[in-house]
C-alpha cells in the first residue's frame, strides 16, 4: 500500500513549496496591533486569522446607521465591560435578559449595538464595582448610562 502512495510525495512537496514562497516576510506577521483602536477607526479594528495561522489587523465596517449607541463614562474608554440588555414589553422589563455581552468601550466612550429589534430596552453595565444603567432606551437611538439605583 505504501508503494501505491509514493507518487503523492512530489505533488505534495510542490504544494508546500508554493505556499512557503508566497508567505509574507516574518516582520509583517508580528506587526503590533494597538490595544485600543483610535477614534478615526471607530473601534472596528479586528484581527483576522487565515488558514496558515498568520494574523492581520483589518478595519471592518459596522452597520451603525440603525444601531443603539450606549454612551459610557469617559474612564471606561478602551476597557472591556460586562453588559446585560433586557427587552421591555408592554412597559415592563422581561424576567430574563435578552442579551449578555462583554464589549470593549470605544475611544469615543460608546458601544454601538446593531442588529437588535426596534423597541425599548433596559441596559446594565458593570466594570468591577461600578454599576451603571439606562432604563427604557429606544432602539435605534442613544442610551446614556447613569449610576444604578
Amino acid at each position: 500500500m505504501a508503494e501505491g502512495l509514493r507518487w503523492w510525495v512530489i505533488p505534495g512537496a510542490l504544494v508546500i513549496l508554493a505556499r512557503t514562497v508566497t508567505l509574507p516576510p516574518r516582520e509583517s506577521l508580528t506587526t503590533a496591533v494597538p490595544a485600543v483602536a483610535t477614534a478615526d477607526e471607530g473601534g472596528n479594528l479586528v484581527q483576522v486569522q487565515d488558514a496558515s495561522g498568520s494574523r492581520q489587523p483589518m478595519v471592518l465596517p459596522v452597520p451603525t446607521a440603525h444601531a443603539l449607541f450606549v454612551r459610557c463614562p469617559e474612564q471606561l474608554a478602551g476597557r472591556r465591560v460586562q453588559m446585560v440588555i433586557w427587552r421591555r414589553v408592554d412597559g415592563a422589563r422581561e424576567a430574563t435578559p435578552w442579551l449578555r455581552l462583554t464589549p470593549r468601550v470605544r475611544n469615543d466612550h460608546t458601544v454601538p449595538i446593531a442588529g437588535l429589534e426596534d423597541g425599548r430596552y433596559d441596559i446594565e453595565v458593570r466594570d468591577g464595582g461600578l454599576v451603571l444603567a439606562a432604563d427604557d432606551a429606544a432602539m435605534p437611538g442613544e442610551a446614556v448610562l447613569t449610576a444604578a439605583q
Side-chain angles (χ1 to χ4, degrees), residues 53-75:
S54 65
R55 295 182 180 178
Q56 301 172 352
M58 297 180 78
V59 177
L60 299 177
V62 174
T64 56
H66 191 77
L68 173 63
F69 287 89
V70 179
R71 186 156 305 278
C72 299
E74 188 175 316
Q75 71 263 21

Side-chain angles (χ1 to χ4, degrees), residues 2-103:
E3 291 84 24
L5 297 177
R6 211 176 350 182
W7 67 275
W8 277 100
V9 172
I10 293 175
L14 289 174
V15 168
I16 292 172
L17 177 65
R19 180 59 187 138
T20 304
V21 170
T22 61
L23 282 173
R26 190 80 167 136
E27 303 82 46
S28 67
L29 294 176
T30 59
T31 37
V33 176
V36 178
T38 59
D40 58 341
E41 291 168 344
N44 302 333
L45 184 71
V46 296
Q47 281 211 13
V48 178
Q49 182 173 359
D50 63 12
S52 69
S54 65
R55 295 182 180 178
Q56 301 172 352
M58 297 180 78
V59 177
L60 299 177
V62 174
T64 56
H66 191 77
L68 173 63
F69 287 89
V70 179
R71 186 156 305 278
C72 299
E74 188 175 316
Q75 71 263 21
L76 294 181
R79 299 190 55 150
R80 286 208 175 270
V81 295
Q82 301 292 321
M83 184 179 289
V84 182
I85 300 175
W86 290 271
R87 189 171 65 159
R88 293 183 70 89
V89 178
D90 297 329
R93 176 191 286 190
E94 286 187 335
T96 58
W98 184 256
L99 185 63
R100 291 180 187 270
L101 59 152
T102 310

